[in-house]
Amino acid sequence: MYPQGRHPTPLQSGQPFKFSVLEICDRIKEEFQFLQAQYHSLKLECEKLASEKTEMQRHYVMYYEMSYGLNIEMHKQEHQQQVLQAVDRAKQVTVGELNSLLGQQNQLQPLSHAPPVPLTPRPAGLVGAGATGLLALSGALAAQAQLVAAVKE
């Protein structure tokens, strides 16, 4: 359309600004390079955020597992404290009170197929046998509880 050697005409007042095809291509190329650099920086930022997200998820799982473990440990300790309190209470129960309680229980829920567990006071001289007596008492109570559960079923 235009001859090859033609130079753009200088601007005159009131005339629109005109660019040559090479200038337009250069501007498009510059804008493309700018957009490509912006895309690259956004891509790097997105990758960085993705890796931070993965790291945060890993920390979340780690803290969740620690919290779960602490919760389990806390319940174990509570249970241990309850067991210790129950053992302390059992140590304070006298044989007469225990026989009385078992007699009341037998009256409420008679066990026709199981004989009552006789408990006799231990001699005062057998102080070291406390653990053995306590074990026998806990075994007898466990057997009695199993029998009560069987009757209820």
Side-chain angles (χ1 to χ4, degrees):
M1 206 159 144
Y2 294 105
Q4 289 290 25
R6 184 170 181 208
H7 296 288
T9 58
L11 286 179
Q12 297 174 357
S13 62
Q15 202 176 29
F17 191 53
K18 295 182 181 178
F19 294 105
S20 71
V21 173
L22 288 177
E23 289 173 333
I24 292 173
C25 286
D26 286 342
R27 285 186 177 247
I28 291 173
K29 184 179 177 183
E30 287 174 11
E31 190 172 343
F32 176 75
Q33 288 173 346
F34 171 76
L35 291 173
Q36 198 171 24
Q38 200 173 24
Y39 167 77
H40 182 70
S41 68
L42 289 173
K43 184 179 177 184
L44 289 177
E45 187 176 345
C46 184
E47 288 172 356
K48 178 183 171 190
L49 289 173
S51 68
E52 287 177 5
K53 176 187 170 192
T54 303
E55 187 68 16
M56 292 297 287
Q57 287 174 333
R58 191 178 68 76
H59 282 287
Y60 172 78
V61 168
M62 182 179 67
Y63 289 137
Y64 178 81
E65 289 172 349
M66 286 174 30
S67 171
Y68 184 77
L70 287 172
N71 194 13
I72 295 285
E73 188 62 32
M74 183 183 71
H75 284 292
K76 279 183 188 176
Q77 289 180 2
E78 286 178 2
H79 182 68
Q80 287 174 350
Q81 288 174 354
Q82 290 173 351
V83 168
L84 287 175
Q85 289 172 352
V87 167
D88 287 340
R89 277 183 287 170
K91 287 179 183 177
Q92 294 171 358
V93 173
T94 64
V95 175
E97 291 172 336
L98 192 55
N99 280 330
S100 165
L101 288 173
L102 289 176
Q104 289 174 359
Q105 186 178 13
N106 285 339
Q107 288 174 357
L108 294 175
Q109 297 175 347
L111 299 174
S112 60
H113 60 279
V117 179
L119 294 175
T120 57
R122 71 167 192 245
L126 296 177
V127 176
T132 307
L134 186 58
L135 288 175
L137 177 63
S138 66
L141 289 175
Q144 186 76 16
Q146 288 176 352
L147 290 174
V148 169
V151 168
K152 284 183 181 178
E153 290 177 0

